[in-house]
Amino acid sequence: MTSEVVIDVQQKEISIALLEDKKLVEYQSETREVSFSVGNVYVAKVKKLMPGLNACFVDVGFERDAFLHYLDLGSQFDSYAKYLKQVQSDRKKLYPFAKASRLPDLKKDGSVQTTLTSGQEVLVQIVKEPISTKGPRLTCELSFAGRYLILIPFNDKVSVSSKIKSGEERARLKQLIHSIKPKNCGVIVRTVAEGKRVAELDAELKTLTKYWEEAIEKVQKSQKRPHLVFEETSRAVALLRDLFNPTYENIYVNDEDVFKEVRHYVSMIAPDKVDIVKLYSGKVPIFDNFNITKQIKSSFGKAVNYKHGAYLIIEHTEALHVVDVNSGNRTRSEKGQEANALEVNLGAADELARQLRLRDMGGIIVVDFIDMNLAEDRQMLYERMCKNMQKDRARHNILPLSKFGLMQITRQRVRPAMDLSVDETCPTCFGKGKIKSSILFTDQLERKIDRLVNKIGVKKFYLHVHPYVAAYINKGFVSLKRQWQLKYGFGLHIVPSQKLAFLQYEFYDAKKQFIDMKEEIETK
């Protein structure tokens, strides 16, 4: 299996697609104004204590206050609180972390009332983004994750991933990390550190230690609360950090700044793989070029088709996700109804495992498979689902089919589910139910071009239109495109874009910056 990452950087948002054997399996998209908040560390104030929940609310600058439970304060909360006071006591000279004292562990059966006070300053890290009506979830047990190691301040343990089975290798890594780790810090060794040399691990450990030291310096110098003291790496780099593996053949990026950022990161973690990072400069939109746009439009939405006419219906509710498996109009198997049901269900298990990763669905997922009478068929379906979910990085638990034919799955929820709307609003009537004559669409485009060239003064630009419209504009001996170029100049370029609706259009200047030429009331 080969994997490729495609990063589409637009003016307002950045989207990342992971392809396995050219098939879309993971997709992330976020606006560029919103920072990637999971992993961010803030110095913030306790806003309100909730004794009934044994928790408190903390203001970290989000619309809704963040939630911090007593058990998430961490065993070394008292050590953090004391060091925070020592750091803030002198704004000029930083109190050395190596001299910080480790206090006894916090009692697990304690109360938030006796530990915190309203208005108290705390160092917190976001572990779960705001989801629906809930604010972010916080922890006071800070951690700084790298490719091979995770640094945990005020902890003295060295833990090795349980996925590293060799006793000899586990002992080597433990001994090695004990010899290089800084004082007052614990380290978790990740699975990918297996077989790595001390120089690589030491370099990353120094980088993570620097992150922690810089965060403390910001705490000391800043008086604004809440204040961001450590920001997680960009979405592109964060995804690569957790996903990167030797099977990656290519990482394509269509923005030079992000390309340099990703290339720099890959050069640090895998110098021999730095050439797989490539800058995409084609005229066709990057997602169209790799057939991702079409896969997004066919994979999101309420109904998802898979092989032989069968389909899934996926419904999202506040409490859970419900999936219904339908055989559709597929041809019945000659082996009978039971064999047909098994075949449809196995195909649904394959597609559902992909959908869970693709949409990042979390919480409780209930799947209504087609009823099967044979116990061995139900067991085969359960084993198939478990096997498919092995590629999923999120923690999950799968229960066998119940007597009602329902499968229950729980999956770790860190971010809101990716629920893209693939329904298209008519760009001509703006969703009001009527459109202007489509045959006049090219006349409307020509008026826009005339205005852009002769009134606004933009001589070189790109007009993105639906592929069918692009084919119409380019057809013929003296095509409409050629007529426009002779009339308005050869700076006009037509670009087919699969993400656009049939009568939708977008203008971009020579620097690929969007030009807004839309008007709800088009004048003649």
Coordinates of all heavy atoms in Angstrom, one line a residue, residues 298-383:
S298 N -18.5 12.7 -3.4 CA -19.2 11.4 -3.3 C -19.1 10.7 -2.0 O -19.9 9.8 -1.7 CB -18.6 10.4 -4.4 OG -17.2 10.1 -4.1
S299 N -18.2 11.2 -1.1 CA -18.0 10.5 0.2 C -18.7 11.2 1.4 O -18.9 10.6 2.4 CB -16.5 10.4 0.5 OG -15.9 9.6 -0.5
F300 N -19.1 12.5 1.2 CA -19.7 13.2 2.3 C -21.2 13.3 2.0 O -21.6 13.1 0.8 CB -19.1 14.5 2.5 CG -17.8 14.5 3.2 CD1 -16.6 14.4 2.5 CD2 -17.7 14.5 4.6 CE1 -15.4 14.3 3.1 CE2 -16.4 14.4 5.2 CZ -15.3 14.3 4.5
G301 N -22.0 13.7 2.9 CA -23.4 13.8 2.7 C -24.1 12.6 3.4 O -23.5 11.8 4.0
K302 N -25.5 12.7 3.4 CA -26.3 11.7 4.1 C -26.1 10.3 3.5 O -26.0 9.3 4.3 CB -27.7 12.1 4.1 CG -28.6 11.3 4.9 CD -30.1 11.8 4.9 CE -31.0 10.9 5.6 NZ -32.4 11.4 5.6
A303 N -26.2 10.2 2.2 CA -26.1 8.8 1.6 C -24.7 8.6 0.9 O -24.2 9.5 0.3 CB -27.2 8.7 0.5
V304 N -24.1 7.5 1.2 CA -22.8 7.2 0.6 C -22.9 5.8 -0.1 O -23.2 4.8 0.5 CB -21.7 7.0 1.8 CG1 -20.4 6.7 1.2 CG2 -21.6 8.3 2.6
N305 N -22.6 5.9 -1.4 CA -22.7 4.7 -2.3 C -21.4 3.9 -2.2 O -20.3 4.5 -2.1 CB -23.0 5.0 -3.7 CG -24.4 5.6 -3.9 OD1 -25.4 5.0 -3.6 ND2 -24.4 6.9 -4.4
Y306 N -21.5 2.6 -2.2 CA -20.3 1.7 -2.4 C -20.6 0.7 -3.4 O -21.6 0.9 -4.2 CB -19.8 1.2 -1.0 CG -20.7 0.3 -0.2 CD1 -20.5 -1.1 -0.2 CD2 -21.7 0.9 0.5 CE1 -21.4 -1.9 0.5 CE2 -22.6 0.0 1.3 CZ -22.4 -1.3 1.3 OH -23.2 -2.1 2.0
K307 N -19.9 -0.4 -3.4 CA -20.0 -1.3 -4.6 C -21.3 -2.0 -4.8 O -22.1 -2.2 -3.9 CB -18.9 -2.4 -4.5 CG -19.0 -3.2 -3.2 CD -17.8 -4.2 -3.1 CE -17.9 -5.1 -1.9 NZ -16.7 -6.0 -1.8
H308 N -21.6 -2.2 -6.1 CA -22.8 -2.9 -6.6 C -24.1 -2.3 -6.2 O -25.1 -3.0 -5.9 CB -22.7 -4.4 -6.1 CG -21.5 -5.1 -6.5 ND1 -20.9 -5.1 -7.8 CD2 -20.6 -5.8 -5.7 CE1 -19.8 -5.8 -7.8 NE2 -19.6 -6.2 -6.6
G309 N -24.2 -1.0 -6.1 CA -25.4 -0.3 -5.8 C -25.9 -0.2 -4.4 O -26.9 0.4 -4.0
A310 N -25.1 -0.9 -3.5 CA -25.4 -0.8 -2.0 C -25.0 0.6 -1.5 O -24.2 1.3 -2.1 CB -24.7 -1.9 -1.3
Y311 N -25.6 1.0 -0.4 CA -25.3 2.3 0.1 C -25.5 2.4 1.6 O -26.2 1.6 2.2 CB -26.1 3.4 -0.6 CG -27.6 3.3 -0.4 CD1 -28.3 4.0 0.6 CD2 -28.4 2.5 -1.3 CE1 -29.6 3.9 0.7 CE2 -29.7 2.4 -1.1 CZ -30.4 3.1 -0.1 OH -31.7 3.0 0.0
L312 N -24.8 3.4 2.2 CA -25.0 3.7 3.7 C -25.8 5.0 3.8 O -25.6 5.9 3.1 CB -23.6 3.9 4.4 CG -22.6 2.7 4.2 CD1 -21.3 3.2 4.9 CD2 -23.1 1.5 4.9
I313 N -26.6 5.0 4.9 CA -27.2 6.3 5.3 C -26.6 6.7 6.6 O -26.7 5.9 7.6 CB -28.8 6.1 5.4 CG1 -29.4 5.8 4.1 CG2 -29.4 7.4 6.0 CD1 -29.4 6.9 3.1
I314 N -26.0 7.8 6.7 CA -25.3 8.3 7.9 C -26.0 9.5 8.5 O -26.1 10.5 7.8 CB -23.8 8.6 7.6 CG1 -23.1 7.3 7.0 CG2 -23.1 9.0 8.9 CD1 -21.7 7.6 6.6
E315 N -26.5 9.4 9.7 CA -27.2 10.5 10.4 C -26.4 10.9 11.6 O -25.9 10.0 12.4 CB -28.6 10.0 10.8 CG -29.5 9.7 9.7 CD -30.3 10.9 9.2 OE1 -29.9 12.1 9.6 OE2 -31.2 10.8 8.4
H316 N -26.2 12.2 11.8 CA -25.5 12.7 13.0 C -26.5 13.3 13.9 O -27.4 14.1 13.5 CB -24.5 13.8 12.5 CG -23.5 13.4 11.5 ND1 -22.3 13.0 11.9 CD2 -23.6 13.2 10.2 CE1 -21.6 12.6 10.8 NE2 -22.4 12.8 9.7
T317 N -26.4 13.0 15.2 CA -27.2 13.6 16.2 C -26.3 14.1 17.3 O -25.1 13.9 17.3 CB -28.2 12.6 16.9 OG1 -27.5 11.6 17.7 CG2 -29.0 11.8 15.8
E318 N -26.8 14.8 18.3 CA -26.0 15.3 19.4 C -25.4 14.2 20.2 O -24.2 14.3 20.7 CB -26.9 16.2 20.3 CG -26.2 16.8 21.5 CD -25.2 17.8 21.1 OE1 -25.3 18.4 20.1 OE2 -24.2 18.0 21.9
A319 N -26.2 13.1 20.4 CA -25.7 12.0 21.3 C -24.9 11.0 20.6 O -24.0 10.4 21.2 CB -26.9 11.4 22.0
L320 N -25.2 10.7 19.3 CA -24.5 9.6 18.6 C -24.6 9.7 17.1 O -25.3 10.6 16.6 CB -25.0 8.2 19.1 CG -26.6 8.0 19.2 CD1 -27.2 7.8 17.9 CD2 -26.9 6.8 20.1
H321 N -24.0 8.8 16.4 CA -24.1 8.7 15.0 C -24.8 7.4 14.7 O -24.5 6.3 15.3 CB -22.7 8.7 14.3 CG -21.9 9.9 14.7 ND1 -22.0 11.1 14.0 CD2 -20.9 10.0 15.6 CE1 -21.1 11.9 14.5 NE2 -20.5 11.3 15.5
V322 N -25.7 7.4 13.7 CA -26.5 6.2 13.3 C -26.2 5.9 11.9 O -26.3 6.8 11.0 CB -28.0 6.5 13.5 CG1 -28.8 5.2 13.2 CG2 -28.3 6.9 15.0
V323 N -25.9 4.7 11.6 CA -25.6 4.2 10.2 C -26.5 3.1 9.8 O -26.6 2.1 10.6 CB -24.1 3.8 10.1 CG1 -23.8 3.4 8.7 CG2 -23.1 4.9 10.6
D324 N -27.2 3.2 8.7 CA -28.1 2.2 8.2 C -27.5 1.6 6.9 O -27.1 2.4 6.0 CB -29.5 2.8 7.9 CG -30.5 1.7 7.5 OD1 -30.4 0.6 8.1 OD2 -31.3 2.0 6.7
V325 N -27.4 0.3 6.8 CA -26.8 -0.4 5.7 C -28.0 -0.8 4.8 O -28.9 -1.5 5.2 CB -26.0 -1.6 6.1 CG1 -25.4 -2.3 4.9 CG2 -24.9 -1.2 7.0
N326 N -27.9 -0.5 3.5 CA -29.0 -0.8 2.5 C -28.4 -1.5 1.3 O -27.3 -1.1 0.8 CB -29.7 0.4 2.0 CG -30.5 1.1 3.2 OD1 -31.6 0.8 3.4 ND2 -29.9 2.1 3.8
S327 N -29.0 -2.6 0.9 CA -28.5 -3.3 -0.3 C -28.8 -2.6 -1.6 O -28.2 -2.9 -2.6 CB -29.2 -4.7 -0.3 OG -30.6 -4.6 -0.4
G328 N -29.8 -1.7 -1.6 CA -30.1 -0.9 -2.8 C -30.7 -1.8 -3.9 O -31.4 -2.7 -3.7
N329 N -30.3 -1.4 -5.1 CA -30.8 -2.2 -6.3 C -29.8 -3.2 -6.8 O -29.9 -3.6 -8.0 CB -31.2 -1.2 -7.4 CG -30.0 -0.3 -7.8 OD1 -28.9 -0.5 -7.3 ND2 -30.2 0.5 -8.8
R330 N -28.9 -3.6 -6.0 CA -27.9 -4.6 -6.4 C -28.5 -5.9 -6.8 O -29.6 -6.3 -6.3 CB -26.8 -4.8 -5.4 CG -27.2 -5.6 -4.2 CD -26.2 -5.7 -3.1 NE -24.9 -6.2 -3.6 CZ -24.6 -7.5 -3.8 NH1 -25.5 -8.4 -3.5 NH2 -23.4 -7.8 -4.1
T331 N -27.9 -6.6 -7.7 CA -28.4 -7.9 -8.2 C -28.3 -9.0 -7.1 O -27.2 -9.0 -6.4 CB -27.6 -8.4 -9.4 OG1 -27.6 -7.4 -10.4 CG2 -28.2 -9.7 -10.0
R332 N -29.3 -9.7 -6.8 CA -29.3 -10.7 -5.8 C -28.3 -11.8 -6.1 O -28.2 -12.2 -7.3 CB -30.7 -11.3 -5.6 CG -31.8 -10.3 -5.2 CD -31.5 -9.6 -3.9 NE -32.4 -8.6 -3.6 CZ -32.3 -7.7 -2.6 NH1 -31.2 -7.8 -1.8 NH2 -33.2 -6.8 -2.3
S333 N -27.6 -12.3 -5.1 CA -26.7 -13.4 -5.3 C -27.4 -14.7 -5.6 O -28.5 -15.0 -5.1 CB -25.8 -13.5 -4.0 OG -25.0 -14.7 -4.1
E334 N -26.8 -15.5 -6.5 CA -27.4 -16.8 -6.8 C -27.3 -17.7 -5.6 O -28.1 -18.7 -5.6 CB -26.6 -17.4 -8.0 CG -26.7 -16.6 -9.3 CD -25.9 -17.2 -10.4 OE1 -25.2 -18.2 -10.2 OE2 -25.9 -16.6 -11.5
K335 N -26.4 -17.4 -4.7 CA -26.3 -18.3 -3.5 C -27.4 -18.1 -2.5 O -27.4 -18.8 -1.5 CB -24.9 -18.2 -2.9 CG -23.8 -18.5 -3.8 CD -22.5 -18.3 -3.1 CE -21.3 -18.6 -4.1 NZ -20.0 -18.3 -3.5
G336 N -28.3 -17.1 -2.7 CA -29.4 -17.0 -1.7 C -29.3 -15.7 -0.9 O -28.3 -14.9 -1.0
Q337 N -30.3 -15.5 -0.1 CA -30.4 -14.2 0.6 C -29.3 -14.1 1.7 O -28.8 -13.0 1.9 CB -31.8 -14.2 1.3 CG -32.1 -12.8 2.0 CD -33.5 -12.8 2.5 OE1 -34.4 -13.6 2.2 NE2 -33.8 -11.8 3.4
E338 N -29.0 -15.1 2.4 CA -28.0 -15.1 3.4 C -26.6 -14.6 2.8 O -25.9 -13.8 3.4 CB -27.8 -16.4 4.1 CG -26.9 -16.4 5.3 CD -27.4 -15.7 6.5 OE1 -28.6 -15.4 6.6 OE2 -26.6 -15.5 7.4
A339 N -26.2 -15.2 1.7 CA -24.9 -14.9 1.1 C -25.0 -13.5 0.6 O -24.0 -12.7 0.7 CB -24.7 -15.8 -0.1
N340 N -26.1 -13.0 0.1 CA -26.3 -11.6 -0.4 C -26.1 -10.7 0.8 O -25.4 -9.6 0.7 CB -27.6 -11.5 -1.1 CG -27.8 -10.1 -1.6 OD1 -27.2 -9.7 -2.6 ND2 -28.7 -9.3 -1.0
A341 N -26.8 -11.0 1.9 CA -26.7 -10.1 3.1 C -25.2 -10.0 3.6 O -24.8 -8.9 4.0 CB -27.6 -10.6 4.2
L342 N -24.5 -11.1 3.6 CA -23.1 -11.2 4.1 C -22.3 -10.3 3.2 O -21.4 -9.5 3.7 CB -22.6 -12.6 4.1 CG -21.1 -12.8 4.5 CD1 -20.9 -12.2 5.9 CD2 -20.7 -14.2 4.4
E343 N -22.5 -10.4 1.9 CA -21.6 -9.7 0.9 C -21.8 -8.2 1.1 O -20.9 -7.4 1.1 CB -22.0 -10.1 -0.5 CG -21.0 -9.6 -1.5 CD -21.3 -10.1 -2.9 OE1 -22.0 -11.1 -3.1 OE2 -20.8 -9.5 -3.9
V344 N -23.1 -7.8 1.2 CA -23.4 -6.3 1.4 C -22.8 -5.8 2.7 O -22.3 -4.7 2.8 CB -25.0 -6.1 1.4 CG1 -25.3 -4.7 1.8 CG2 -25.5 -6.4 0.0
N345 N -23.0 -6.6 3.8 CA -22.5 -6.2 5.1 C -20.9 -6.1 5.1 O -20.4 -5.2 5.7 CB -22.9 -7.2 6.2 CG -24.4 -7.0 6.5 OD1 -25.0 -6.0 6.2 ND2 -25.0 -8.0 7.1
L346 N -20.3 -7.0 4.5 CA -18.8 -7.0 4.4 C -18.3 -5.7 3.7 O -17.4 -5.0 4.1 CB -18.2 -8.2 3.8 CG -18.4 -9.5 4.6 CD1 -17.8 -10.7 3.8 CD2 -17.7 -9.4 6.0
G347 N -19.0 -5.4 2.6 CA -18.7 -4.2 1.8 C -18.9 -2.9 2.7 O -18.2 -2.0 2.6
A348 N -20.0 -3.0 3.5 CA -20.4 -1.9 4.3 C -19.3 -1.7 5.4 O -19.0 -0.6 5.8 CB -21.8 -2.1 5.0
A349 N -18.8 -2.8 5.9 CA -17.7 -2.7 7.0 C -16.5 -2.0 6.4 O -15.9 -1.2 7.1 CB -17.4 -4.1 7.5
D350 N -16.1 -2.4 5.2 CA -15.0 -1.7 4.5 C -15.2 -0.2 4.4 O -14.3 0.6 4.7 CB -14.7 -2.4 3.2 CG -14.3 -3.8 3.3 OD1 -13.9 -4.3 4.4 OD2 -14.5 -4.5 2.2
E351 N -16.4 0.1 3.9 CA -16.6 1.6 3.6 C -16.8 2.3 4.9 O -16.4 3.5 5.1 CB -17.9 1.7 2.8 CG -18.3 3.1 2.4 CD -17.2 3.9 1.6 OE1 -16.5 3.2 0.9 OE2 -17.1 5.1 1.8
L352 N -17.4 1.7 5.9 CA -17.7 2.4 7.2 C -16.4 2.7 7.9 O -16.2 3.8 8.5 CB -18.6 1.5 8.1 CG -18.9 2.1 9.5 CD1 -19.6 3.5 9.3 CD2 -19.7 1.2 10.3
A353 N -15.4 1.8 7.9 CA -14.1 2.0 8.5 C -13.4 3.2 7.9 O -12.8 4.1 8.6 CB -13.2 0.8 8.4
R354 N -13.6 3.4 6.6 CA -13.0 4.5 5.8 C -13.8 5.8 6.2 O -13.2 6.8 6.4 CB -13.1 4.3 4.3 CG -12.8 5.5 3.5 CD -12.8 5.1 2.0 NE -12.7 6.3 1.2 CZ -13.8 6.8 0.5 NH1 -15.0 6.3 0.6 NH2 -13.6 7.9 -0.2
Q355 N -15.1 5.7 6.3 CA -15.9 6.9 6.7 C -15.6 7.4 8.1 O -15.6 8.6 8.3 CB -17.4 6.5 6.5 CG -17.9 6.4 5.1 CD -18.0 7.7 4.4 OE1 -18.2 8.8 5.0 NE2 -17.7 7.7 3.1
L356 N -15.3 6.5 9.0 CA -15.0 6.9 10.4 C -13.8 7.8 10.4 O -13.7 8.8 11.1 CB -14.9 5.7 11.3 CG -16.1 4.9 11.6 CD1 -15.9 3.7 12.5 CD2 -17.3 5.7 12.1
R357 N -12.8 7.3 9.7 CA -11.5 8.1 9.6 C -11.7 9.4 8.8 O -11.2 10.5 9.2 CB -10.4 7.3 8.9 CG -9.9 6.1 9.7 CD -8.9 5.2 8.9 NE -7.7 5.9 8.7 CZ -6.8 5.5 7.8 NH1 -6.9 4.3 7.2 NH2 -5.7 6.2 7.7
L358 N -12.4 9.3 7.7 CA -12.6 10.4 6.8 C -13.4 11.6 7.4 O -13.0 12.7 7.4 CB -13.3 9.9 5.5 CG -13.4 10.9 4.3 CD1 -12.1 11.4 3.9 CD2 -14.2 10.2 3.2
R359 N -14.4 11.2 8.1 CA -15.3 12.2 8.8 C -14.8 12.5 10.2 O -15.3 13.5 10.8 CB -16.7 11.8 8.8 CG -17.3 11.5 7.4 CD -18.8 11.2 7.5 NE -19.3 10.8 6.2 CZ -20.5 11.1 5.8 NH1 -21.3 11.8 6.5 NH2 -20.9 10.7 4.6
D360 N -13.9 11.7 10.7 CA -13.4 11.8 12.1 C -14.6 11.8 13.0 O -14.7 12.6 14.0 CB -12.6 13.1 12.3 CG -11.6 13.0 13.4 OD1 -11.5 11.9 14.0 OD2 -11.0 14.0 13.8
M361 N -15.5 10.8 12.8 CA -16.6 10.6 13.7 C -16.2 10.0 15.0 O -15.4 9.1 15.1 CB -17.6 9.7 13.0 CG -18.3 10.3 11.7 SD -19.0 9.0 10.6 CE -20.2 8.3 11.7
G362 N -16.8 10.6 16.1 CA -16.4 10.1 17.4 C -17.6 9.9 18.3 O -18.7 10.2 17.9
G363 N -17.4 9.5 19.5 CA -18.5 9.2 20.4 C -19.0 7.8 20.1 O -18.3 6.8 19.9
I364 N -20.4 7.7 20.2 CA -21.0 6.4 20.0 C -21.5 6.3 18.5 O -22.2 7.2 18.0 CB -22.2 6.2 21.0 CG1 -21.7 6.3 22.4 CG2 -22.9 4.9 20.7 CD1 -22.8 6.4 23.4
I365 N -21.2 5.2 17.9 CA -21.7 4.9 16.5 C -22.5 3.6 16.5 O -21.9 2.6 17.0 CB -20.5 4.8 15.5 CG1 -19.7 6.1 15.5 CG2 -21.0 4.5 14.1 CD1 -18.3 6.0 16.1
V366 N -23.7 3.7 16.1 CA -24.6 2.5 16.1 C -24.8 2.2 14.6 O -25.3 3.0 13.8 CB -25.9 2.7 16.8 CG1 -26.8 1.5 16.7 CG2 -25.7 3.0 18.3
V367 N -24.5 0.9 14.2 CA -24.7 0.5 12.8 C -25.7 -0.6 12.7 O -25.7 -1.6 13.4 CB -23.3 0.0 12.3 CG1 -23.4 -0.2 10.8 CG2 -22.2 0.9 12.7
D368 N -26.7 -0.3 11.9 CA -27.8 -1.3 11.6 C -27.4 -2.1 10.3 O -27.7 -1.6 9.2 CB -29.1 -0.6 11.5 CG -30.3 -1.6 11.3 OD1 -30.1 -2.8 11.4 OD2 -31.4 -1.1 10.9
F369 N -26.8 -3.2 10.5 CA -26.5 -4.1 9.4 C -27.7 -4.9 8.9 O -28.7 -5.0 9.7 CB -25.3 -5.1 9.7 CG -24.0 -4.4 9.8 CD1 -23.4 -4.1 11.0 CD2 -23.3 -4.1 8.6 CE1 -22.1 -3.5 11.1 CE2 -22.0 -3.5 8.7 CZ -21.5 -3.2 9.9
I370 N -27.6 -5.4 7.7 CA -28.7 -6.3 7.2 C -28.7 -7.6 8.1 O -27.6 -8.2 8.3 CB -28.6 -6.6 5.7 CG1 -28.7 -5.3 4.9 CG2 -29.6 -7.6 5.2 CD1 -28.4 -5.4 3.5
D371 N -29.9 -8.0 8.5 CA -30.0 -9.2 9.4 C -29.4 -10.5 8.7 O -29.6 -10.7 7.5 CB -31.4 -9.5 9.7 CG -32.0 -8.4 10.6 OD1 -31.2 -7.7 11.3 OD2 -33.3 -8.3 10.7
M372 N -28.6 -11.2 9.5 CA -28.0 -12.5 9.1 C -28.4 -13.6 10.1 O -28.3 -13.3 11.3 CB -26.5 -12.3 9.0 CG -26.0 -11.4 7.9 SD -24.2 -11.3 7.7 CE -23.8 -10.6 9.3
N373 N -28.7 -14.7 9.6 CA -29.2 -15.8 10.5 C -28.0 -16.6 11.0 O -28.1 -17.2 12.2 CB -30.1 -16.7 9.7 CG -31.4 -16.0 9.3 OD1 -31.9 -15.2 10.1 ND2 -31.9 -16.3 8.1
L374 N -26.9 -16.8 10.3 CA -25.8 -17.7 10.7 C -24.9 -17.0 11.6 O -24.4 -15.9 11.4 CB -25.1 -18.2 9.5 CG -25.9 -19.0 8.5 CD1 -25.1 -19.4 7.2 CD2 -26.5 -20.3 9.1
A375 N -24.5 -17.7 12.8 CA -23.6 -17.1 13.8 C -22.2 -16.9 13.2 O -21.6 -15.9 13.5 CB -23.6 -18.0 15.0
E376 N -21.8 -17.8 12.3 CA -20.5 -17.7 11.7 C -20.4 -16.5 10.8 O -19.3 -15.9 10.7 CB -20.0 -19.0 11.0 CG -21.0 -19.4 9.9 CD -22.0 -20.5 10.4 OE1 -22.4 -20.4 11.6 OE2 -22.3 -21.4 9.6
D377 N -21.5 -16.1 10.1 CA -21.5 -14.9 9.3 C -21.4 -13.7 10.1 O -20.6 -12.7 9.8 CB -22.7 -14.9 8.4 CG -22.7 -15.9 7.3 OD1 -21.7 -16.5 7.1 OD2 -23.8 -16.1 6.6
R378 N -22.1 -13.7 11.3 CA -22.0 -12.5 12.1 C -20.6 -12.3 12.7 O -20.1 -11.2 12.9 CB -23.1 -12.6 13.3 CG -24.5 -12.6 12.8 CD -25.5 -12.3 13.9 NE -25.6 -13.5 14.8 CZ -26.4 -14.5 14.7 NH1 -27.2 -14.5 13.6 NH2 -26.4 -15.5 15.5
Q379 N -20.0 -13.5 13.1 CA -18.6 -13.4 13.6 C -17.6 -12.9 12.5 O -16.7 -12.2 12.8 CB -18.2 -14.8 14.1 CG -16.8 -14.9 14.7 CD -16.6 -14.1 15.9 OE1 -17.6 -13.7 16.6 NE2 -15.4 -13.7 16.2
M380 N -17.8 -13.4 11.3 CA -17.0 -13.0 10.2 C -17.1 -11.4 10.0 O -16.0 -10.8 9.8 CB -17.4 -13.7 8.9 CG -16.4 -13.4 7.7 SD -17.0 -14.1 6.1 CE -17.1 -15.8 6.5
L381 N -18.3 -10.9 10.1 CA -18.5 -9.5 9.9 C -17.8 -8.7 11.0 O -17.1 -7.7 10.8 CB -20.0 -9.2 9.9 CG -20.4 -7.7 9.9 CD1 -19.8 -7.0 8.6 CD2 -21.9 -7.5 9.9
Y382 N -17.9 -9.2 12.3 CA -17.3 -8.5 13.4 C -15.7 -8.5 13.3 O -15.1 -7.5 13.5 CB -17.7 -9.3 14.7 CG -16.9 -8.9 15.9 CD1 -17.0 -7.6 16.5 CD2 -16.0 -9.7 16.5 CE1 -16.3 -7.2 17.6 CE2 -15.3 -9.3 17.7 CZ -15.4 -8.1 18.2 OH -14.7 -7.7 19.3
E383 N -15.2 -9.7 12.8 CA -13.7 -9.8 12.6 C -13.2 -8.8 11.5 O -12.2 -8.2 11.6 CB -13.3 -11.2 12.3 CG -13.5 -12.1 13.6 CD -13.3 -13.6 13.2 OE1 -13.0 -13.9 12.0 OE2 -13.4 -14.4 14.1

